[in-house]
């Protein structure tokens, strides 16, 4: 087994260390965040850090790197108050990954990737038409992570669109049926396979499969 202590990690080349640390925590969510500025210029960016924050009220969060350069996603939702989260599917991973390229703020990633803007229920920010699960969010708050200057962004889930056939009787979503991809580190894409699902656990209770 290969072992790294903190001294060994610090001596690694920066990109090698970044890949190692970004992948050692496992699969991450794969999402495209859509936004639009007050002049109507849209932006689309891939994120691997979208996480559940709470269900009552419904909220999610994601991590933004330090604001040492212009971040169009951040600028747009701070200006307008809205953004969308769109799950990446296997058929759009190349287009989704290309949104990580640094285009000028007046160039929309939609126009460079072939992904299609979609507007639903008069929501200000654009959704990705090719995404099977789409979430419309309003910006609530942000928290600075003082150790590295990154920001934790909190959004309220106001709209949710998804295929009806992936919703189980108890509300659980069968993401494999939605072709939901995952990200490994910064640049690897995978299709997770559901292995099992178990009942809510009580002390000394028999584990039961509930699929």
């Amino acid at each position: 087994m290969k072992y790294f202590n903190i001294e060994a990690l610090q001596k690694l080349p920066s990109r090698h260390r970044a890949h190692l640390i970004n992948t050692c925590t496992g699969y991450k969510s794969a999402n495209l965040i859509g936004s639009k500025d007050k002049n109507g210029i849209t932006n689309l960016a891939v994120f691997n850090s979208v996480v559940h924050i709470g269900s009552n009220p419904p909220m999610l969060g994601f991590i933004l790197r330090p604001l040492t350069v212009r971040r169009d996603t951040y600028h747009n939702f701070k200006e307008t108050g809205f953004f969308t989260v769109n799950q990446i599917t296997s058929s759009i991973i190349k287009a989704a990954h290309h949104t990580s390229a640094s285009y000028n703020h007046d160039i929309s990633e939609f126009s460079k990737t072939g992904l299609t803007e979609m507007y639903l229920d008069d929501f200000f920010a654009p959704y990705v038409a090719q995404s099977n699960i789409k979430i419309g969010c309003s910006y609530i708050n942000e928290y600075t992570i003082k150790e590295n200057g990154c920001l934790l962004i909190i959004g309220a889930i106001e709209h949710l669109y998804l295929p009806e056939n992936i919703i189980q009787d108890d509300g659980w979503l069968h993401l494999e049926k939605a072709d939901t991809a995952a990200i490994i580190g910064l640049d690897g894409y995978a299709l997770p396979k559901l292995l099992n699902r178990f009942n809510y656990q009580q002390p000394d209770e028999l584990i039961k499969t509930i699929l």
Side-chain angles (χ1 to χ4, degrees), residues 24-135:
C24 74
T25 52
Y27 292 101
K28 300 176 175 67
S29 63
N31 290 281
L32 289 163
I33 293 185
S35 59
K36 184 170 65 172
D37 69 16
K38 64 180 181 181
N39 296 316
I41 299 173
T42 57
N43 179 266
L44 192 63
V46 59
F47 279 81
N48 67 358
S49 60
V50 176
V51 295
H52 166 82
I53 296 295
S55 58
N56 187 23
M59 294 182 295
L60 55 75
F62 62 94
I63 300 294
L64 267 177
R65 287 179 292 173
L67 303 177
T68 52
V69 298
R70 179 187 173 95
R71 307 286 183 197
D72 290 332
T73 298
Y74 181 81
H75 172 83
N76 289 352
F77 67 65
K78 288 287 283 188
E79 183 178 74
T80 67
F82 302 102
F83 62 91
T84 68
V85 175
N86 307 268
Q87 287 192 9
I88 296 171
T89 63
S90 64
S91 63
I92 62 171
I93 57 174
K94 288 184 179 179
H97 188 68
H98 188 64
T99 65
S100 63
S102 297
Y103 287 103
N104 290 335
H105 75 274
D106 59 344
I107 297 176
S108 172
E109 287 77 10
F110 282 101
S111 69
K112 294 295 184 177
T113 59
L115 296 171
T116 307
E117 295 180 32
M118 173 181 280
Y119 293 90
L120 298 168
D121 295 305
D122 297 320
F123 195 68
F124 182 82
Y127 296 95
V128 177
Q130 292 87 343
S131 176
N132 286 331
I133 299 178
K134 307 173 179 65
I135 308 170

Side-chain angles (χ1 to χ4, degrees), residues 87 133 160 162-163 166-168 170-176:
Q87 287 192 9
I133 299 178
L160 176 60
L162 63 167
I166 74 168
I167 308 173
Q168 307 303 288
D170 60 355
W172 186 84
L173 300 183
H174 200 309
L175 296 182
E176 190 175 346

Side-chain angles (χ1 to χ4, degrees), residues 179-209:
D179 193 37
T180 294
I183 293 180
I184 304 171
L186 299 173
D187 52 16
Y189 295 81
L191 273 180
K193 180 177 177 59
L194 178 66
L195 299 179
N196 214 327
R197 186 184 178 211
F198 302 110
N199 61 310
Y200 183 83
Q201 289 296 280
Q202 300 288 352
D204 299 318
E205 183 180 42
L206 181 66
I207 299 175
K208 298 178 182 178
T209 296

Side-chain angles (χ1 to χ4, degrees), residues 149-168:
C150 290
L151 298 176
L152 171 61
I153 306 301
I154 307 297
I157 298 175
E158 297 189 357
H159 304 276
L160 176 60
Y161 306 90
L162 63 167
E164 188 171 356
N165 71 313
I166 74 168
I167 308 173
Q168 307 303 288

